[in-house]
Every structure is written in structure tokens, then in C-alpha cells.
Amino acid sequence: MKKLSLSIVLCFLLTTLHSFGVEPSDYKANFRKGVTSGYYLGFTSLADEMRELRRPSDIPKSDGFLQSLYVDFHYANQEFNEGFYSTVATATPKAPIEHTIYGLTLGFGLGDNPNLDVRIPLSVTDFNVGDIDDSGMIAGIEFFPNYRINQYVAWGVNIAHLNSSSDFPMFDESMTSVSFETMVESSEAYGMNWSGRLSIGRYFPSNDINDEALWLFKGGIALHYHLHNNFTMLPFIRFNYSNGDVLTDSMWVDYGTEFILMPNAPWNFSLGIAGVGGHDVIEEGMEFYLSTKGNF
């Protein structure tokens, strides 16, 4: 009788474990520990963040309202460890989590000074939890009115909103943010110059579980190696810090390199690679992007 009861219990447990997670809706919103930085939803890509560090001073300004136009194609992939799961999900089978993004960002530079930069990110995503996968969409809009004090210093206020849609409840998230940005760039007189960007912003995540606002501080610096009049290498690094408990990590680093072709021409082309380091939840994270920008 005891053997029969034990067999029934084992069969029940095996059936439960086997049937768990057979579709995306089985992974509830409270299965995630918090908002995972760099998992892209609610956070603009590193390519977009660093782009404003590059402001060629020798490109003539147009008298028209449209100053610049760029198109950015990017591919990003992140893999997460078990730190992504909350304590609610400890009794469930842990499955590897992977997120892949195929994105397109349209950007417009409007006005002379003050300037208005507008970005429209559109991405198709693929979410994988173990053997279960689902496609989704990320879309949003970003406004960045900014004022250049002189050729070396500028500041502005960034207002952005991004929204994600997926059949995985734990991946559904929207993010609204307002941040103060300041940019500084050194002189090009020495053949190599640097540029930096500091951001202090308030972020408002919104999903079924994580809806607490957080402060996020970001400081980035890039070196401009002018290897040729028509070729520049731009390695960069960005330090991130949050003072709240909403994010799964309070500190992490983004880094990468961008290669710019024809930077002094009306049109230039960029090829870049970026990654994330020092993060406890993001096991691997990498982004590749190709962009073209026209200055009018």
C-alpha cells in the first residue's frame, strides 16, 4: 500500500514538472526578480546612447528645419542566469532564458540651436525560456531637446517611452523615463580627442509586478582616434548606477567600439559592437549595429 501511494505521488510530481511551462503564459510576471537592465525593454540601446557624443564640428549647418537623419540597424542578444527569477519561482524548474532583438531605429535632428532629436525605435524580438519561445515587438519614441552652449559643451532633457508586447507575462514591460543629459567634447587640435556624457534620470517601469520608479545615473566616455581623414575609431565605456531595489543589479558597465567611415562628409557610416559587463543576472550580452547618418 505504501509503495502504491509513493508511486502515485511520484507520478503526480513528474506529471506536474513535465506539464509546467508548456506555453508562454505559464511564466507569470511575478516569476521575474525585478527590472533587468540591459534587457533592452525600457532602455535605449547603447548605440543610441553614445551617438550624441559624436558631433563633427566641421560639417556645415543647414538653414532648414531638418538638420540630420540616421537609420540604425542593430542585432542584440542577451542570456540570463537564474538571478532573473524571483523567490516565487524557486519551486519551478529553472530554464535558460534568452532574448534576441532585431531592431531598426529612425532618428531625426531638427532645428539649429536649440536642437530637437527624435528617435523612433522599432524591434522584433524572440523570447526563449527553455524550449518555449515566442516572438514580440518593442516600439517607442524618444524626444531629446538640447542646447549647445559652445562647440565643446551641450545639455538637454531626454523624454522617452518604450513598450514591449509578448505572450510571456514576465517579459511584458513598458518604461517611461525623464533624464537630464550633459555632453562635453575636447578639442580636435591634438589628433585624438575625447567626449563624455552624463545622464541623471528618473525611470518609471510598468508591468504587473515591477512598477516602482527608480533613479539611474549613467556616465560615459569615448575616445576619438582619427586614423585617417575619412576613418575614425571610437572606443567607449559607460558606468551605470541605480540607488533603488527595482533593478536586479545596482551597478554595471557597458562598453564597445564604433568604426566611423567618412565622418567629415555629409553622409557617414558606422559599424559598432557593444557589450555589458559586471552584471550578476546577464550571463552574456552583445549588440551589433550598422548605421548611416546624413547631415544637411
Side-chain angles (χ1 to χ4, degrees), residues 254-296:
D254 300 308
Y255 55 88
T257 300
E258 186 172 351
F259 302 93
I260 310 166
L261 303 176
M262 298 190 301
N264 297 322
W267 285 91
N268 60 65
F269 302 88
S270 302
L271 176 64
I273 180 173
V276 59
H279 205 289
D280 292 337
V281 176
I282 301 177
E283 196 72 25
E284 296 179 9
M286 193 62 65
E287 177 184 358
F288 302 89
Y289 60 91
L290 173 65
S291 66
T292 177
K293 181 177 182 181
N295 299 275
F296 306 106

Side-chain angles (χ1 to χ4, degrees), residues 4-155:
L4 181 61
S5 300
L6 182 61
S7 299
I8 293 174
V9 171
L10 289 175
C11 288
F12 174 77
L13 291 174
L14 289 173
T15 303
T16 303
L17 291 175
H18 179 72
S19 62
F20 178 81
V22 295
E23 57 185 27
S25 60
D26 293 332
Y27 296 86
K28 306 301 181 184
N30 61 349
F31 280 15
R32 56 185 294 184
K33 182 178 179 181
V35 178
T36 303
S37 57
Y39 122 90
Y40 201 89
L41 309 186
F43 296 86
T44 55
S45 69
L46 185 57
D48 292 340
E49 285 287 326
M50 302 302 294
R51 188 177 306 282
E52 290 304 318
L53 296 177
R54 174 170 25 99
R55 291 171 175 264
S57 58
D58 54 351
I59 294 179
K61 282 284 188 178
S62 170
D63 293 331
F65 183 63
L66 179 62
Q67 294 289 323
S68 63
L69 167 68
Y70 79 80
V71 181
D72 183 0
F73 301 93
H74 57 265
Y75 164 83
N77 178 266
Q78 295 104 20
E79 296 179 7
F80 309 101
N81 56 36
E82 292 186 0
F84 185 88
Y85 291 103
S86 68
T87 54
V88 178
T90 52
T92 64
K94 296 298 185 295
I97 303 173
E98 187 173 1
H99 184 209
T100 306
I101 304 109
Y102 305 89
L104 166 68
T105 300
L106 300 176
F108 305 90
L110 308 174
D112 187 8
N113 197 21
N115 311 285
L116 175 62
D117 295 328
V118 180
R119 300 185 183 95
I120 304 175
L122 301 169
S123 301
V124 176
T125 63
D126 182 54
F127 304 97
N128 287 273
V129 180
D131 296 328
I132 311 301
D133 70 302
D134 177 59
S135 59
M137 285 288 298
I138 300 174
I141 191 165
E142 180 178 350
F143 297 98
F144 183 43
N146 58 89
Y147 177 75
R148 177 161 287 278
I149 299 174
N150 52 43
Q151 61 178 325
Y152 305 116
V153 182
W155 65 273

Side-chain angles (χ1 to χ4, degrees), residues 153-294:
V153 182
W155 65 273
V157 177
N158 192 303
I159 303 170
H161 176 79
L162 280 176
N163 194 73
S164 169
S165 62
S166 169
D167 288 338
F168 278 101
M170 71 177 187
F171 283 116
D172 275 340
E173 180 183 298
S174 64
M175 181 77 77
T176 302
S177 63
V178 179
S179 59
F180 173 81
E181 316 267 343
T182 180
M183 291 85 68
V184 179
E185 187 168 348
S186 67
S187 171
E188 298 179 352
Y190 304 103
M192 181 192 78
N193 64 305
W194 58 268
S195 55
R197 178 168 179 155
L198 177 65
S199 170
I200 303 175
R202 188 72 167 166
Y203 287 72
F204 304 90
S206 177
N207 63 12
D208 292 340
I209 299 300
N210 309 113
D211 58 356
E212 296 181 17
L214 61 112
W215 287 100
L216 183 61
F217 304 85
K218 299 184 288 187
I221 188 169
L223 297 178
H224 303 241
Y225 290 94
H226 304 289
L227 304 179
H228 186 270
N229 288 336
N230 293 326
F231 182 74
T232 299
M233 184 173 69
L234 185 81
F236 50 79
I237 187 169
R238 184 178 66 191
F239 175 78
N240 307 269
Y241 170 74
S242 172
N243 67 339
D245 297 328
V246 182
L247 294 179
T248 54
D249 265 38
S250 59
M251 291 189 295
W252 73 97
V253 174
D254 300 308
Y255 55 88
T257 300
E258 186 172 351
F259 302 93
I260 310 166
L261 303 176
M262 298 190 301
N264 297 322
W267 285 91
N268 60 65
F269 302 88
S270 302
L271 176 64
I273 180 173
V276 59
H279 205 289
D280 292 337
V281 176
I282 301 177
E283 196 72 25
E284 296 179 9
M286 193 62 65
E287 177 184 358
F288 302 89
Y289 60 91
L290 173 65
S291 66
T292 177
K293 181 177 182 181

